Amino acid sequence: MEASHAEGCMVVEQQLWKTANAAGRMAQELGEKELLRMEVEQLRKEVKNPRTPISKTGKEIKDYVEAQAGNNPLLKGIPEDKNPFKEKGTCMIS
């Protein structure tokens, strides 16, 4: 059973390698015109995404951060009784 499993894995690996090589060759074989066409198609998709002015999103982010500041231990600090890194005592070497 071990041999058949190993052989199966080897076959899958070879298929993946062939697919990756084919994709690489395809990209190399595409002419500049085809690459530009693909880029234009991608830009057409991206232009359909809704955009929000930074003046609006910046204010929303600022408001969110300020609202969450009370829950942030880096800003608020950790209470001494709940601090797992608090020194438990001093160590003196004599």
Side-chain angles (χ1 to χ4, degrees):
M1 176 138 178
E2 287 294 321
S4 65
H5 177 71
E7 290 171 1
C9 289
M10 196 178 304
V11 169
V12 170
E13 186 177 318
Q14 289 171 351
Q15 289 173 342
L16 289 173
W17 182 254
K18 287 178 185 177
T19 303
N21 283 338
R25 281 194 308 275
M26 188 178 90
Q28 289 174 347
E29 292 171 1
L30 289 176
E32 185 178 351
K33 186 176 180 180
E34 184 60 30
L35 290 172
L36 290 172
R37 183 177 292 126
M38 290 170 61
E39 185 175 352
V40 168
E41 287 175 21
Q42 181 62 32
L43 290 172
R44 285 184 177 145
K45 291 177 186 176
E46 290 178 14
V47 79
K48 293 177 184 177
N49 291 338
R51 300 179 140 243
T52 308
I54 189 65
S55 57
K56 181 181 180 203
T57 55
K59 183 181 180 329
E60 290 173 356
I61 292 171
K62 179 180 170 265
D63 293 343
Y64 175 80
V65 169
E66 288 175 349
Q68 299 299 318
N71 301 328
N72 189 334
L74 296 175
L75 298 175
K76 181 179 160 187
I78 300 173
E80 286 295 319
D81 60 332
K82 294 182 181 180
N83 185 353
F85 302 105
K86 180 175 90 173
E87 285 191 34
K88 307 223 181 325
T90 59
C91 178
M92 295 184 70
I93 300 175
S94 54

